[in-house]
Amino acid sequence: MKEIILAKNGEIALKGLNRRKFEEVLMRNIKWRLREFGPVKITCMQSTIYIAPEDCDFYDFDGAIAALRNVFGIASISRAAVLEKNMDDILSHVCDYVENDLFDARSFKVEAKRSDKSFPLKSPEIAAEVGGKILSRFHRLKVDVHNPDVTVMVEIRDKGAYIHAGSIPGPGGMPVSSSGEAMILISGGIDSPVAAYMMAKRGLALSAIHFQSPPYTSERALEKVVSLCEELTPYTGRIPFYCVPFTELQEALKEHCPEELFTVMMRRLMMKIATRIAEQKDIKALVTGESLAQVASQTLDALHCTDNATSLVVLRPLIGMDKGEIIKISREIGTFDTSILPYEDCCTVFTPKHPCTKPKLGVLEKAEQRFDYEPLIEKAIAGTEFRMITG
Ligand code: ATP
Ligand code: MG
């Protein structure tokens, strides 16, 4: 029997004239995500994406469905039998097809949807006939229309009839890249990978930028950040990754700036470099894992000073979340175990004992005038290494 995967669109279905564009992005993302499972034909009709494997008998449906559960833009996923659009075909196959799903069930209901109005039976009549057939085969089952253990769906659509025993939820959100592109400042910590995940969920494609300070930070610290990016690719798609050598700038800062301002001045330098690299790629927003009041560099005054170092939009999806909530997401998306590996980040190098929690922009700008960091910024950008992370 031929089978198919139906992926229903979430928010996209509410879009007006642009809907087709969003659907095309979603179909492209699905194709990329399923590339390892073999050839499929992907089409979209009536807010549903049809994923039809060329070779149904050998297709890894479970693997493909697990992958689709991470593709933003999908509201629900069902594996369905594809049947002829007539009651004979439906009634002769329905019991065999849903038998496994009904194995533990005590009650069920049948729901029919008929988007092809030329089909001779109306939805309640289809449901009644199919329900009768199931009852006559599985005597222990009862119909419960309010709270059934299993709902058997019969969908009569333009191209065929589809039967399935319910759907599993997709991740929701918007298709990655349908909202444009941003650059995530990624450290090896818990927060920034979660921030990347959350902005990808709102439809942003992501590039990543990481600042490393060898020999204060090790090669393994860098590999940890690369691993985090790899772990994000099932959600984000491939990630262009920029690694900026930051040692000289940090050393110059330490030498020339007031110790208590070190962290916020370092964050301003990160913003300046990220902005220049982002602008070269026509990227309009930066993303950080900052959360209000988490540390001294994330007070309102500090964030004001950081924002002032860039003309780009700064997105901070974790701003109102506490650490427990962030950790919960980090575990769910699978980055937590890597994030807690104990390698130094450049942020922990030269950390002041008593960082200023209320930095003033004017004071920072004056301190910045004490040394000519422009050539060092140029040098850091020139020494930036690029790699494409495909997962
Ligand atoms: P995280 O868990 O993401 O490391 P954090 O609570 O440790 O966050 P900070 O170290 O103050 O916070 O960093 C705040 C944000 O600055 C990070 O979420 C990240 O976006 C950015 N950041 C910090 N260090 C780096 C780095 N080495 N390279 C790129 N971005 C960084
Ligand atoms: Mg950090």
Side-chain angles (χ1 to χ4, degrees), residues 17 46 48 57-58 65 105 112 119 125 129 139 170 199 207 226 238 265 269 278 282 298 302 327 350 368 381:
L17 293 175
Q46 298 156 328
T48 300
D57 294 337
F58 294 98
I65 287 171
F119 193 77
E125 296 163 345
E129 283 209 27
H139 300 293
M199 291 325 301
S207 291
V226 171
R238 58 189 203 156
M265 291 183 73
L269 284 176
D282 205 22
Q298 296 171 30
I327 288 175
F350 310 138
E368 280 168 356
I381 292 175

Side-chain angles (χ1 to χ4, degrees), residues 185-193 209-211 267 270 287-290 294-295 297-298 323 345-347:
L185 280 78
I186 191 157
S187 68
I190 295 169
D191 305 334
S192 40
I209 187 166
H210 175 67
F211 296 85
R267 308 206 49 72
M270 286 184 174
V287 181
T288 78
E290 289 160 315
Q294 195 186 78
V295 287
S297 60
Q298 296 171 30
K323 198 75 185 184
D345 179 56
C346 74
C347 277

Side-chain angles (χ1 to χ4, degrees), residues 36-97:
E36 71 203 75
F37 296 98
V40 287
K41 191 165 171 251
I42 300 175
T43 48
C44 182
M45 265 172 294
Q46 298 156 328
S47 298
T48 300
I49 308 232
Y50 296 70
I51 301 152
E54 270 178 25
D55 188 350
C56 269
D57 294 337
F58 294 98
Y59 195 71
D60 177 7
F61 277 90
D62 292 339
I65 287 171
L68 290 172
R69 292 193 79 171
N70 297 332
V71 176
F72 295 126
I74 297 177
S76 70
I77 308 159
S78 329
R79 174 177 177 169
V82 185
L83 301 173
E84 305 271 322
K85 274 203 291 190
N86 63 62
M87 285 312 286
D88 284 348
D89 204 35
I90 294 170
L91 293 174
S92 58
H93 287 101
V94 65
C95 291
D96 286 343
Y97 191 67

Side-chain angles (χ1 to χ4, degrees), residues 5 10 35 78 100 104 110 112 211 232 249 258 276-277 283 315 318 341 354 372:
I5 300 171
R35 67 200 184 287
S78 329
N100 276 345
D104 283 334
V110 178
F211 296 85
L232 285 168
L249 276 160
R276 290 204 205 165
I277 295 178
I283 292 172
L315 300 168
L318 313 186
L341 293 174
H354 302 290
D372 184 13

Side-chain angles (χ1 to χ4, degrees), residues 149-186:
D149 292 337
V150 173
T151 300
V152 174
M153 291 292 308
V154 182
E155 303 190 32
I156 312 290
R157 290 171 171 259
D158 286 351
K159 293 257 169 76
Y162 303 90
I163 292 177
H164 59 89
S167 41
I168 54 168
M174 295 296 293
V176 164
S177 103
S178 67
S179 303
E181 186 174 354
M183 180 171 274
I184 172 86
L185 280 78
I186 191 157

